[in-house]
Amino acid sequence: MGSSFNKVWVAAIASSLGDGVQMAALPLLAFQLTSDPLLIGAVGAVGTLPWFLLGLPAGALVDRWDRRKVMLRADLVRFAILALLTVAVLTDHANIFLLIVAGFALGCGDIFFDISAQAVMPVVVSGDQALIRANSRISAAQINGEQLAGPPLGGVLFSLSQFLPFLGNAFSFLVSAVCVGSLKGDFGNAPTGEPTRTSLRAEVAEGLRWLLKHRVLRALAGTAAIGNLVFTAKMSLLVLLAKGQLGLGDIGYGLLLSSTAVGAFIGSFMSTSISKKIQVGSMRCIGMSVEGLAVVGLGLTTNPWIAGAMMATIGFSMSVQIVIVGSLRQRLAPAEIRGRVLSASRLISLMGAPFGGVLGGYLAGAISLRTPFIMGGLLMVLVALLSLPALSNRAIQEATEEATEEATTTQTPEEATATPSNQGASK
């Protein structure tokens, strides 16, 4: 995969493990500081708020700047925030409002780092299969760190001393910064000719307009929004399903949640081999349908073991789709506007999430607890089938060939003969 990818991979492993540690420690610290459920909930919610406020302009700024430097500075800023938070915890100056501010600031850093990391991946590795393989390894690192290893480690460190999880996460960003800072090559948007400066609003509109005009990427973003709507509804009601319909206790509920991560971890490793056997269009339709049927099965069963198998199936299917579809997005988006296209796609896909919990709760209260699971799962199957014309194998192949042709025609002679960037040279 090349030394450049290995550095990005180590950075992902370190920062994902730190994020997982913090994911467990932050609400534990919030609980120590206040008993107000609204404030405790706010600590967890502010981390995703920056995507809705800054997602689109962040994509435009990433396209303006050197993406390697953006990643490096995002790591250093997050290191500084967590170092200050560690000092505040050590000196008993931490309070719930400081946690909310820190969570929001860390979320802002996450946006710039994540968009830049996705945008540089097609530069770090060469070839479609290599890109899928790279994304599968990054996905496995994130799942293992944020969902499997990180949270239990965070709980253990917090039990030893409250400052240790935050110090550990700060160190993880420092490791990531060292890896990113050692990258060599051109990781910008490789503009041709003199850059023409336009307003940030115009650049954001350009990326969003390009996405909405692209049939394949528009359909992918729309189907992802439906998937997030169903996923959020499922997760918001899962505790009720586990306690009532499945008869699980606290430990059983935790294991039920973990089964999703286990399935996703397996899926991240198998996505490369699946991509070689099944074309992207077929995989997307099958993946969404399997995920939808698993959600239906989860709502119907009263057996905890079957429920765990359904959760693992959902995680497996989601992980495979994220890796393969994410790689397709990276290939189809032009290099010069890739940050804007990826951030716009991410924002559209997230739009379903805020409505999922509300809609799921309404259906559960008005009809029954099973209703949101059954209706949501069937909706995913229906959307998968309706999106087939836009996401057929032929449509995706034509879009890929068009993107490759455009990328080739915009190369300068120097770029066409350059050494592959995953060997450390400029693209």
Side-chain angles (χ1 to χ4, degrees):
M1 299 294 291
S3 60
S4 292
F5 170 74
N6 290 334
K7 293 173 182 177
V8 175
W9 191 26
V10 172
I13 292 172
S15 59
S16 297
L17 182 62
D19 286 344
V21 168
Q22 179 185 297
M23 194 177 299
L26 204 60
L28 289 173
L29 181 59
F31 182 74
Q32 295 286 334
L33 296 173
T34 181
S35 59
D36 189 333
L38 181 61
L39 292 176
I40 294 175
V43 171
V46 292
T48 57
L49 184 60
W51 269 107
F52 295 95
L53 300 178
L54 301 175
L56 292 179
L61 291 172
V62 164
D63 286 337
R64 283 186 179 184
W65 300 335
D66 185 309
R67 290 161 182 163
R68 183 188 67 86
K69 292 181 180 179
V70 174
M71 295 166 66
L72 176 60
R73 290 165 182 167
D75 274 336
L76 293 176
V77 168
R78 290 183 291 180
F79 165 77
I81 293 169
L82 283 162
L84 292 173
L85 183 58
T86 301
V87 172
V89 175
L90 268 172
T91 58
D92 292 327
H93 285 88
N95 58 66
I96 194 67
F97 298 104
L98 177 63
L99 295 191
I100 292 174
V101 172
F104 181 82
L106 290 170
C108 293
D110 291 343
I111 289 178
F112 284 94
F113 186 93
D114 290 349
I115 294 174
S116 299
Q118 290 180 41
V120 303
M121 196 56 66
V123 184
V124 172
V125 295
S126 301
D128 293 351
Q129 284 300 318
L131 184 59
I132 293 174
R133 197 159 60 248
N135 282 322
S136 71
R137 294 184 184 180
I138 296 292
S139 178
Q142 291 172 339
I143 294 167
N144 185 58
E146 295 177 7
Q147 300 181 37
L148 293 176
L153 179 60
V156 171
L157 291 175
F158 190 85
S159 67
L160 296 174
S161 184
Q162 293 182 356
F163 80 92
L164 283 177
F166 307 104
L167 179 63
N169 198 14
F171 179 73
S172 75
F173 285 127
L174 188 60
V175 172
S176 178
V178 171
C179 294
V180 171
S182 64
L183 288 171
K184 299 184 184 301
D186 179 14
F187 298 97
N189 55 12
T192 56
E194 289 295 323
T196 56
R197 178 65 68 213
T198 57
S199 68
L200 189 64
R201 179 181 296 180
E203 292 177 9
V204 168
E206 180 187 7
L208 185 59
R209 189 165 51 247
W210 193 95
L211 171 67
L212 295 178
K213 286 183 178 180
H214 197 287
R215 188 186 185 192
V216 171
L217 291 181
R218 181 180 67 235
L220 288 174
T223 54
I226 298 298
N228 276 321
L229 183 144
V230 176
F231 179 80
T232 307
K234 171 182 74 72
M235 293 304 296
S236 65
L237 298 171
L238 189 63
V239 64
L240 297 177
L241 188 81
K243 297 283 189 178
Q245 188 166 303
L246 300 177
L248 295 174
D250 293 341
I251 296 177
Y253 173 62
L255 292 174
L256 186 64
L257 288 174
S258 299
S259 60
T260 304
V262 172
F265 190 65
I266 297 172
S268 65
F269 280 107
M270 294 188 63
S271 56
T272 302
S273 59
I274 290 174
S275 69
K276 294 177 182 178
K277 298 176 181 178
I278 305 176
Q279 296 186 61
V280 181
S282 300
M283 184 281 305
R284 180 63 165 178
C285 182
I286 295 171
M288 279 197 74
S289 299
V290 168
E291 187 180 340
L293 293 175
V295 172
V296 173
L298 181 63
L300 291 175
T301 187
T302 57
N303 187 307
W305 294 100
I306 295 177
M310 294 298 100
M311 290 286 284
T313 301
I314 292 169
F316 178 90
S317 179
M318 286 178 60
S319 181
V320 171
Q321 291 179 73
I322 287 171
V323 170
I324 297 178
V325 171
S327 300
L328 178 64
R329 286 194 186 100
Q330 291 167 334
R331 295 198 303 270
L332 294 182
E336 64 274 11
I337 62 170
R338 188 174 290 138
R340 281 167 280 175
V341 172
L342 294 178
S343 63
S345 180
R346 176 76 175 268
L347 183 62
I348 291 173
S349 68
L350 286 174
M351 285 183 175
F355 303 101
V358 177
L359 183 59
Y362 171 77
L363 291 174
I367 306 176
S368 71
L369 180 60
R370 291 180 173 181
T371 302
F373 292 88
I374 297 172
M375 292 184 65
L378 293 178
L379 175 63
M380 289 192 68
V381 175
L382 179 62
V383 169
L385 296 175
L386 292 177
S387 65
L388 268 177
L391 296 178
S392 65
N393 294 325
R394 181 177 179 180
I396 292 174
Q397 181 64 30
E398 290 175 352
T400 303
E401 292 174 354
E402 181 181 348
T404 303
E405 182 179 349
E406 291 179 357
T408 303
T409 56
T410 55
Q411 273 189 328
T412 65
E414 292 81 2
E415 292 171 334
T417 58
T419 304
S421 59
N422 63 351
Q423 301 301 320
S426 174
K427 182 178 179 182

